[in-house]
Amino acid sequence: MTTRVWDYLDEYGSEREDILDAVSTVFESGQLVLGQSVNNFEAEFARYHGVGHCTSVDNGTNAIKLGLEALGIGPGDEVITVSNTAAPTVIAIVGAGATPVFVDVREDDFLMDTDQVEAAITPRTKALVPVHLYGQCVDMAPLERLAERHGLKILEDCAQAHGARHHGRIAGSMGDAAAFSFYPTKVLGAYGDGGAVISPSEEVNAAMRQLRYYGMEKVYYVVRSPGHNSRLDEVQAEILRRKLTRLDAYVAGRNEVARRYEKELGDVDGLLLPRTSPGNTHVYYVYVVRHPRRDDIIEALKRFDISLNISYPWPVHTMSGFADLGYREGSLPVTERLAKEIFSLPMYPSLPTDTQDKVIGALRDVLSGL
């Protein structure tokens, strides 16, 4: 059986009764869209993060897009972010009508290099989108100072950082708004798709609720301003409610796997393991390692029936779909170098010990032969 970086079946086996009860609860409720499960999940998710408001949506990409629109970002505006991210981060910025502007990432933790942000600010810059990547937070204090000085909005991309903390502050509580994805692979994943925007602002929340529902407020057919059809499904909301109570346990499980990797692979020459930046608590959405012969390693692991991912092999600024932004090869040297060297080991809280053993043994065997 092929070993992959993520699998939900072991988790489903242990949670099956609760998951099926969630489905049954919705089916028996008499309301399948924007019902009590959505209302309850939004309240509980906001409370978990210590913020006042949450609006759920249909996916993480739309969470970023609608979140930017709710903050007043649109055509003619520039939004500073990174290219070392999943393409949906940038697709959402473009979808909101804004222009993404990239800064490079740091060599040690692969997160936004906040020292480069101020030089990228122009009169058109209206927002910053720090990406809390791989399971830990961007250094937010410099960004908060810049936002205050230049009158910018901050939308945190928390798709990969459910439960992560930065100097005690939970991811999603440090900006004007924060966008989350509940894609099945996430630390808090649904059994389908989903997303949410949280914010301390009632104004942002009101805008989000209108945007996700065609631009209507409370009365169907009365459009205040053209919006979207972007609603979280009741079934997914009820499942997420149940799983939210286990989020801290999921994080603990991921950290346990990470500690095992560090113990067993920390002495392997040439293999750089993840570094947790000062003040951060890591949730290990993915366990990203680095080696200059990455491609050779991934190919060699196939003989052990191990298939690994790369997050991400093609920086967004190098993709043909974003050629109009004008970035050339070499413009973001750290991001481009990382894309040739990073890869992800299997990581999820229910990862069986024998699978960990298989991956560790195979990786040590392959690296000893390079």
Side-chain angles (χ1 to χ4, degrees), residues 265-320:
L265 297 172
D267 64 341
V268 176
D269 287 341
L271 185 69
L272 297 180
L273 303 184
R275 175 184 179 273
T276 301
S277 294
N280 276 352
T281 57
H282 210 308
V283 299
Y284 295 102
Y285 165 60
V286 284
Y287 193 88
V288 176
V289 300
R290 183 178 179 184
H291 194 283
R293 295 185 63 182
R294 184 268 313 282
D295 293 343
D296 294 332
I297 294 168
I298 289 180
E299 183 62 30
L301 285 172
K302 290 179 181 178
R303 74 172 187 266
F304 295 91
D305 208 15
I306 296 173
S307 177
L308 301 184
N309 284 356
I310 302 170
S311 301
Y312 299 93
W314 300 286
V316 177
H317 73 282
T318 67
M319 297 179 183
S320 59

Side-chain angles (χ1 to χ4, degrees), residues 14-57:
S14 65
E15 299 181 358
R16 182 177 184 273
E17 185 175 339
D18 194 34
I19 298 302
L20 294 182
D21 182 68
V23 176
S24 179
T25 295
V26 172
F27 286 178
E28 293 174 4
S29 72
Q31 189 164 2
L32 300 177
V33 179
L34 292 185
Q36 197 57 48
S37 291
V38 163
N39 291 339
N40 289 340
F41 173 69
E42 289 175 341
E44 291 157 10
F45 196 66
R47 186 161 56 248
Y48 179 87
H49 291 89
V51 300
H53 308 284
C54 171
T55 300
S56 59
V57 294

Side-chain angles (χ1 to χ4, degrees), residues 51-54 70-71 153 175-177 198-207:
V51 300
H53 308 284
C54 171
L71 291 170
K153 299 294 186 181
D176 297 284
I198 63 174
S199 177
S201 166
E202 171 58 43
E203 182 180 359
V204 170
N205 188 61

Side-chain angles (χ1 to χ4, degrees), residues 5 7 52 64 66 107 114 119 153 164 201 224 227 262 297 312 314 316 320 323 341 350 360:
V5 296
D7 190 288
I64 298 173
L66 273 62
E107 194 90 37
T114 56
K153 299 294 186 181
S201 166
R224 302 298 182 187
E262 185 171 7
I297 294 168
Y312 299 93
W314 300 286
V316 177
S320 59
E341 298 182 357
S350 57
I360 291 165

